[in-house]
Amino acid sequence: QVRVAITGGGSVEAGGSLRLSCEAPGYIANRRCVSWFRQVPGKGREGREGVAAVYGGDGARYYVPSVNGRFTVSQDNGRDVVYLQMDQLKPEDTATYYCATLGPCGRWVVSDFPKWSQGAQVTVTS
């Protein structure tokens, strides 16, 4: 059964860094995309916005403009784990973060992703 599980998060001052991990068994062998989304307070599930993604087939990475240059997706191929390194964090990055799979890479339509992790809170204080 396909699953994804997120760990990490926390609270940091603006300009700081945090890292999230997403365990996604089989995403490389099965050429799946692992995508990162975030949900800000006051917005429901359908309001989640895409952040970044990596394709298990060739390692291609995708970033939305608001995080490009600050967030980095990397992989631990031996353990099927995807990392989201978040640097130069801003208060507007505060959200609950999720990883998701079985959807298209580089496209951020929530309903396209049937498998989601639980959320991980990221809080950036000014």
Side-chain angles (χ1 to χ4, degrees), residues 9-29:
S11 182
V12 68
E13 292 185 353
S17 299
L18 287 171
R19 189 176 79 163
L20 298 172
S21 303
C22 178
E23 182 181 358
Y27 89 95
I28 293 178

Side-chain angles (χ1 to χ4, degrees), residues 52-75:
V54 61
Y55 177 52
D58 61 5
R61 292 161 172 78
Y62 303 81
Y63 300 94
V64 297
S66 61
V67 307
N68 197 24
R70 300 188 298 120
F71 290 13
T72 304
V73 177
S74 62
Q75 306 174 84

Side-chain angles (χ1 to χ4, degrees), residues 37-40 47-49 51 66-67 71 92-93 95-97:
F37 287 79
R38 63 189 180 188
Q39 181 175 339
V40 299
R48 292 177 184 174
E49 59 179 21
V51 177
S66 61
V67 307
F71 290 13
E92 51 264 44
D93 294 317
T96 303
Y97 284 70

